[in-house]
Amino acid sequence: DAKTTQPNSMESNEEEPVHLPCNHSTISGTDYIHWYRQLPSQGPEYVIHGLTSNVNNRMASLAIAEDRKSSTLILHRATLRDAAVYYCILRSYNNNDMRFGAGTRLTVKP
Amino acid sequence: GAGVSQSPRYKVAKRGQDVALRCDPISGHVSLFWYQQALGQGPEFLTYFQNEAQLDKSGLPSDRFFAERPEGSVSTLKIQRTQQEDSAVYLCASSPTLGRVSTEAFFGQGTRLTVV
């Protein structure tokens, strides 16, 4: 299985940008990079995904290294509601493999 | 409803009791996943369905765990002779499959199982 490595925890101040890193050195050519987050007492929710190019949506941006062995989730202005565990997952195009690691617990300080 | 629905939300079982957890995926979604999440841990993959076919059950921890999706829609995760170590939140997710396009998965809120 392709695996990802993330820091256990990170802290940010409210209204500041947050860069959440993920290493995936064994990524294959058919793996998409997905990010999910899990708020307390909720199921995970989709944040963003990409293959090779950087991606932006209303929640976040995803910066993918040229060799695709790492990526960074960028929250442009952290709010208290962004406090959650963020998971970086590699998912093959045929959708039958979606396995979570331990994730990064993001704390946002007011 | 528009999202993935799981029932019951909470279940307390006596050790040795059988339980059945239900997942109603988003209508038309082909892929369905089950996960087990212990307190403070990330979700652990249990099993995966594509329509009614169970394509991967490598994450099921023992033969006491059984999952089915007979008509390719609703799925049930059954745990026989529950043990205390089965206490966890069980999450279900569904996802459309669009060939070579990787898509997002939608999660239910989970069923919290407590074995006493």
Side-chain angles (χ1 to χ4, degrees):
Chain A
D1 293 340
K3 296 190 186 305
T4 62
T5 305
Q6 299 177 253
N8 290 335
S9 62
M10 291 185 66
E11 282 190 355
S12 172
N13 293 318
E14 196 176 11
E15 298 192 0
E16 290 187 356
V18 182
H19 291 232
L20 298 166
C22 181
N23 289 319
H24 29 79
S25 58
T26 60
I27 191 170
S28 74
T30 58
D31 286 330
Y32 285 74
I33 302 158
H34 284 243
W35 284 81
Y36 283 76
R37 72 179 186 181
Q38 189 171 23
L39 297 157
S41 301
Q42 302 282 327
E45 66 172 342
Y46 168 83
V47 177
I48 200 166
H49 78 277
L51 184 62
T52 56
S53 303
N54 295 344
V55 184
N56 300 295
N57 67 19
R58 64 175 178 81
M59 288 181 72
S61 295
L62 176 60
I64 302 173
E66 194 170 336
D67 63 4
R68 299 210 323 128
K69 294 186 177 182
S70 65
S71 62
T72 302
L73 178 70
I74 302 165
L75 307 179
H76 295 287
R77 289 182 65 201
T79 70
L80 297 178
R81 289 175 295 179
D82 291 323
V85 179
Y86 287 78
Y87 297 98
C88 169
I89 301 162
L90 299 184
R91 195 168 173 205
S92 60
Y93 73 83
N94 60 2
N95 283 343
N96 68 351
D97 192 342
M98 192 168 73
R99 298 177 191 241
F100 290 72
T104 296
R105 180 174 298 278
L106 175 66
T107 302
V108 180
K109 296 184 289 185
Chain B
V4 176
S5 178
Q6 292 188 244
S7 60
R9 286 293 314 279
Y10 304 92
K11 176 69 179 178
V12 178
K14 292 184 178 179
R15 192 172 60 174
Q17 184 180 352
D18 297 349
V19 298
L21 311 180
R22 177 185 170 107
C23 173
D24 284 80
I26 293 173
S27 178
H29 278 195
V30 171
S31 300
L32 186 144
F33 304 82
W34 281 99
Y35 294 86
Q36 179 191 60
Q37 187 170 26
L39 190 63
Q41 305 293 317
E44 291 283 340
F45 171 82
L46 293 178
T47 187
Y48 163 76
F49 289 86
Q50 192 162 56
N51 295 308
E52 68 278 5
Q54 190 175 19
L55 298 187
D56 188 344
K57 54 182 180 179
S58 61
L60 295 176
S62 77
D63 59 7
R64 296 186 296 103
F65 286 71
F66 172 77
E68 60 182 5
R69 193 186 185 198
E71 297 179 356
S73 178
V74 172
S75 179
T76 304
L77 177 67
K78 298 179 180 177
I79 309 173
Q80 297 177 322
R81 306 181 302 281
T82 53
Q83 305 293 317
Q84 284 191 320
E85 61 263 28
D86 300 334
S87 296
V89 174
Y90 291 84
L91 294 163
C92 175
S94 72
S95 174
T97 299
L98 299 175
R100 289 184 176 268
V101 176
S102 180
T103 59
E104 66 183 280
F106 297 83
F107 282 80
Q109 290 199 295
T111 294
R112 180 177 297 278
L113 173 65
T114 304
V115 182
V116 297

